[in-house]
């Protein structure tokens, strides 16, 4: 906290208008103060090391270094750092990974005006906050089998429209092996076909376009 007792906050988002909105909302609270802003993951780490804020508001999708990588780097510097992930995504995969990496909260940008300040205060108390719709997604897929790194590579290639033959050539494995990976991906995602698998993977946060 600052000398005045206010919660110090670092705001990280690659969109200037979003940063301005976040900073305005935080600074309008009598018990909070924005001490720094950053536009990407690399700048985030610089500002974090410089100011060591009580709470970091961290966008998930950013250039140069994404939010999850920045989160891991922050927690490496300060293991008890309080970081709230900000996103438009409701998929369970990114949320699960964020909490694995030590996130304190996960907040949808559509809910910022109503829940931002309370989420920051909850983070200071060590309370984890997740929007109900995201919590429901996590519960729905809690027992699902995760995709392997190889399967994710195949899925990303499928999302680009690549055939099994092309994917096999790119990954240095046989077309038959790729076909087996595709069948496993369809089963794990409970997808009807390749296009359906990509749609599900995007919705859940396994891949990004």
């Amino acid at each position: 906290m600052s000398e005045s007792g206010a919660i110090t906050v670092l705001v990280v988002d690659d969109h200037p208008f979003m940063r301005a909105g976040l900073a305005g909302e935080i600074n309008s609270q009598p018990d909070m103060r924005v001490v720094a802003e950053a536009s990407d993951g690399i700048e985030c780490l610089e500002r974090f090391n410089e100011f060591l804020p009580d709470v970091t508001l961290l966008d998930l999708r950013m250039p140069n270094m994404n939010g999850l990588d920045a989160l891991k780097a922050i927690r490496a510097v300060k293991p008890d750092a309080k970081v709230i992930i900000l996103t438009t995504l409701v998929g369970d995969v990114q949320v699960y990974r964020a909490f694995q990496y030590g996130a304190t909260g996960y907040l949808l940008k559509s809910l910022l005006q109503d829940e931002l300040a309370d989420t920051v205060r909850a983070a200071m108390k060590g309370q984890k906050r997740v929007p109900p719709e995201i919590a429901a997604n996590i519960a729905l897929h809690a027992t699902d089998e995760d995709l392997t790194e190889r399967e994710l590579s195949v899925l990303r290639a499928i999302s680009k429209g690549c055939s099994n033959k092309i994917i096999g050539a790119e990954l240095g494995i046989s077309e038959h092996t790729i076909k087996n990976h595709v069948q496993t991906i369809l089963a794990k995602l409970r997808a009807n076909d390749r296009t359906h698998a990509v749609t599900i993977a995007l919705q859940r946060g396994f891949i990004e376009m």
Side-chain angles (χ1 to χ4, degrees):
M1 289 189 176
S2 64
E3 293 181 0
S4 64
I7 300 170
T8 57
V9 179
L10 167 62
V11 174
V12 187
D13 196 288
D14 59 328
H15 295 289
F17 290 117
M18 178 59 71
R19 287 202 309 276
L22 289 166
E25 180 65 22
I26 291 297
N27 286 328
S28 71
Q29 305 298 317
D31 58 338
M32 301 178 194
R33 180 168 64 88
V34 173
V35 293
E37 299 180 19
S39 60
D40 61 38
I42 295 175
E43 188 178 8
C44 165
L45 295 181
E46 294 172 353
R47 296 292 176 268
F48 183 87
N49 289 328
E50 181 179 358
F51 293 94
L52 293 177
D54 296 318
V55 177
T56 299
L57 301 177
L58 183 60
D59 187 22
L60 192 61
R61 289 179 168 177
M62 297 184 296
N64 301 322
M65 179 188 290
N66 65 39
L68 290 181
D69 289 339
L71 169 61
K72 286 191 289 185
I74 286 173
R75 295 279 294 186
V77 173
K78 194 171 186 289
D80 62 346
K82 296 173 175 60
V83 180
I84 299 169
I85 297 293
L86 306 177
T87 186
T88 58
L89 303 174
V90 296
D92 63 292
V93 175
Q94 298 286 20
V95 187
Y96 181 73
R97 288 173 180 164
F99 283 117
Q100 273 189 317
Y101 298 156
T104 310
Y106 201 95
L107 189 57
L108 293 175
K109 290 184 177 181
S110 59
L111 303 175
L112 290 180
Q113 188 171 1
D114 297 327
E115 300 188 15
L116 178 59
D118 286 344
T119 301
V120 170
R121 294 186 184 102
M124 282 300 293
K125 297 176 183 177
Q127 300 171 356
K128 294 187 181 297
R129 295 285 289 268
V130 183
E133 55 265 54
I134 292 181
N137 277 337
I138 294 175
L140 179 64
H141 298 289
T143 59
D144 287 3
E145 190 175 357
D146 200 4
L147 297 179
T148 66
E149 285 301 319
R150 175 66 81 187
E151 289 161 357
L152 286 172
S153 296
V154 172
L155 190 54
R156 292 188 189 99
I158 291 173
S159 73
K160 297 174 183 176
C162 297
S163 66
N164 289 352
K165 184 175 182 179
I166 292 175
I167 298 172
E170 289 182 349
L171 298 181
I173 52 182
S174 71
E175 185 176 352
H176 177 72
T177 300
I178 294 299
K179 184 177 180 179
N180 289 338
H181 282 314
V182 172
Q183 291 304 313
T184 301
I185 291 168
L186 295 181
K188 286 184 177 181
L189 296 182
R190 296 194 287 275
N192 299 324
D193 52 39
R194 294 159 71 100
T195 301
H196 191 205
V198 171
T199 301
I200 293 171
L202 288 169
Q203 290 173 341
R204 291 188 57 193
F206 277 111
I207 61 174
E208 298 179 13
M209 293 298 285

